[in-house]
Amino acid sequence: MQNDIQRQILGAMLLVLRPIARVLLKAGIGYREFAEISKTAFVDVAGKDYGLRGRPTNISRVAVMTGLTRKEVRRIRDKMDAGDAIGLTKLAPMSQVMHRWFTEDEYTSENGVPRILDFDNSSPSFAGLVKKFGGDIPPGAMRTELKRMGVVEELESGQLKAASRTVVGLEDHEKLVRGLAHVLYPASLALDHNLSVHGSDDLPWVHVSAFSHAVNNSDVRRIRRVCSDKATGFAESVDDFLAAYETLHEMGDSEGQPRAVGVGVFYFEDESPESQVFD
């Protein structure tokens, strides 16, 4: 049974996950892939951070901490040991359908090109492809999503043409990767660090934000521009400082193992009706 503190934390996490779910869906990444990578993160952290006498946490304790079965923990550990931490055990339905469309003899021509398929009432058909390899997803819903992702084209005849083997709906996926790696990741590191420094000699890291929930709609564009200019100027000044440090202290002269350090500056607008954190 969840206590009040856990409910508050999970409520905040739900708030964080909504925009993440939004961008993942744009990239064609669904719950199955997200759940798999989440399991991997929990097993990895539980195994490395909670061992006794310098040894990794054993499988049974990891299972207790994470709520996963020992069989699942062992599977994920084996996958990480093999260097395949982000590999999936099974393709998501959209990816499975497109993979089969490009590889199954029934759905490809003699030279290996995916056939143009009628939606239904023929053999082979798109509906038949989905029923075979798309799980319990209705063919109409699969067609709608694959068209939205830009991997399937509907011709004037109503037939369907495979346009891409890879289900990725973002033209600039690198922007998403940079945002996750260079913004969310360091922000999460700072949060974790600051929750661990109580009673220790270490100091908390700067992890602050400034906001107002009383901005007139007519002023938002101007405030956005001013905040962007100020944030960019601050980030550039820090970048100059770090560049000067690198010049003074070449990597070969550093003491011990070098580490990455940095400062993030965040500007945001919150219009989602489900979020009341700034009220």
Side-chain angles (χ1 to χ4, degrees), residues 214-231 267 269:
V215 175
N216 293 328
N217 286 332
S218 59
D219 294 330
V220 168
R221 285 178 62 88
R222 180 174 61 85
I223 289 176
R224 181 191 301 156
R225 185 177 65 254
V226 171
C227 288
S228 295
D229 290 344
K230 288 181 176 293
Y267 165 78
E269 295 173 12

Side-chain angles (χ1 to χ4, degrees), residues 51-71:
L52 300 176
R53 293 180 291 278
R55 293 179 295 181
T57 316
N58 63 45
I59 287 176
S60 295
R61 285 191 61 220
V62 172
V64 171
M65 294 172 65
T66 62
L68 298 169
T69 64
R70 288 186 298 171
K71 180 179 179 180

